[in-house]
Amino acid sequence: MAAAATDKSLLSAELEGDEEPEALRRLLLQVTQDAEEAEPPPGSGSTAVTPQPGFCVKTRAGDAKVFVNVCHSPAVPAPPPLAPRDLRLLLGSDAASAFRIPMSLGEPHAELDRSGQGCTAYDVVVNSALLRSLQADPLYLEFFLTVVMEGLAEKYGVEVNHSGWRVLQNRKFLGSISAQNIRTRPRPRIQELEGEEPPPEPPSPPPPPPPAYVVVAEPSAEHPRVLQARVHLPHVAGAGQLELALSEERLVLGGGGGGGAPLLQLGLPLPPDPARCRARFHPRTKVLTVTMPLQL
């Protein structure tokens, strides 16, 4: 895989019986006690890890396609053991979200599906042993994805379809894998402080949505020779405010300041020839056009 290098020269201008309530109460109580009594691992509370691909789930949020990349790393803590009978009990109740599965939900990133259409992907990182359990137990997988969809709705406000998902058979990951900061030590539930309590920090602003874009294949989608990306950037005054990084797999567009999250990260369905690619920003229409001849 070729590394993406910044090149500014490209720029030209998601039970049964009467004992069910009591059994569910005992299960959730045990899960809470396990989480509170577990000793944290030594070292710092978080670590940067590059996860391994596991499987990719396709679903929808309204009319938009959404892909969930389920990855794994041994750095993520494992959830408490869950017996099959307890799992059936959870799925038959309204308390599924009370069972805690340690996971890391990554930021949304813009990608292209097989047909070249724009979509959104989310990376979810779980414990490696849990991933093997999910692949071996369809019921556990269904429960896990329910928890993931609820997490995406809570964290990013995206209402993902809970029932129309499917696991892709020939793709483990959409896009390219990025490192994530994994919290390896639970936060204290109560912290006693002496003296005056400091004022709360203001909440961080949500990440801006990716700019509107379209990618077309020329002369046709069936026989493409060139990919052309057109990105609408209404708040950009000129090409000097942009940085473009291009590899055989990804296009990354950032601001000229060199800091902060990229404006757009776009996975490419076919490998271009970076040496022959060109980009042009049109100040009047505020559209960046990136022309990417494909490798011969």
Side-chain angles (χ1 to χ4, degrees), residues 142-188:
E142 179 182 352
F143 168 66
F144 167 76
L145 290 177
T146 299
V147 175
V148 170
M149 306 306 180
E150 292 178 353
L152 292 176
E154 180 179 350
K155 187 172 183 179
Y156 298 114
V158 55
E159 295 298 330
V160 182
N161 190 330
H162 285 218
S163 58
W165 56 266
R166 67 183 180 92
V167 178
L168 301 184
Q169 299 300 315
N170 299 318
R171 182 187 287 271
K172 292 185 176 182
F173 197 95
L174 181 65
S176 59
I177 299 179
S178 301
Q180 290 196 31
N181 287 323
I182 305 297
R183 183 161 54 90
T184 56
R185 201 166 54 178
R187 295 171 180 155

Side-chain angles (χ1 to χ4, degrees), residues 27-183:
L27 170 62
L28 296 180
L29 178 61
Q30 181 62 43
V31 169
T32 303
Q33 290 174 342
D34 289 344
E36 292 177 357
E37 295 174 2
E39 294 186 2
S44 63
S46 65
T47 182
V49 301
T50 300
Q52 297 299 311
F55 55 87
C56 183
V57 177
K58 179 182 178 181
T59 184
R60 284 187 173 273
D63 295 330
K65 292 181 182 179
V66 172
F67 293 83
V68 179
N69 297 315
V70 181
C71 313
H72 65 98
S73 169
V76 180
L82 187 60
R85 182 181 181 280
D86 294 334
L87 176 57
R88 291 193 298 271
L89 187 63
L90 277 176
L91 288 175
S93 72
D94 295 328
S97 59
F99 184 85
R100 300 174 183 174
I101 298 180
M103 66 179 72
S104 174
L105 298 177
E107 298 287 340
H109 49 96
E111 301 293 345
L112 292 178
D113 61 11
R114 290 180 58 184
S115 61
Q117 300 299 313
C119 60
T120 303
Y122 297 86
D123 302 342
V124 180
V125 188
V126 298
N127 179 266
S128 298
L130 173 62
L131 182 93
R132 293 190 291 269
S133 299
L134 297 176
Q135 293 173 323
D137 189 340
L139 191 61
Y140 202 170
L141 175 61
E142 179 182 352
F143 168 66
F144 167 76
L145 290 177
T146 299
V147 175
V148 170
M149 306 306 180
E150 292 178 353
L152 292 176
E154 180 179 350
K155 187 172 183 179
Y156 298 114
V158 55
E159 295 298 330
V160 182
N161 190 330
H162 285 218
S163 58
W165 56 266
R166 67 183 180 92
V167 178
L168 301 184
Q169 299 300 315
N170 299 318
R171 182 187 287 271
K172 292 185 176 182
F173 197 95
L174 181 65
S176 59
I177 299 179
S178 301
Q180 290 196 31
N181 287 323
I182 305 297
R183 183 161 54 90

Side-chain angles (χ1 to χ4, degrees), residues 178-203:
S178 301
Q180 290 196 31
N181 287 323
I182 305 297
R183 183 161 54 90
T184 56
R185 201 166 54 178
R187 295 171 180 155
R189 299 188 62 181
I190 299 177
Q191 182 179 10
E192 295 183 358
L193 300 176
E194 296 182 358
E196 185 178 352
E197 185 174 341
E201 296 183 1

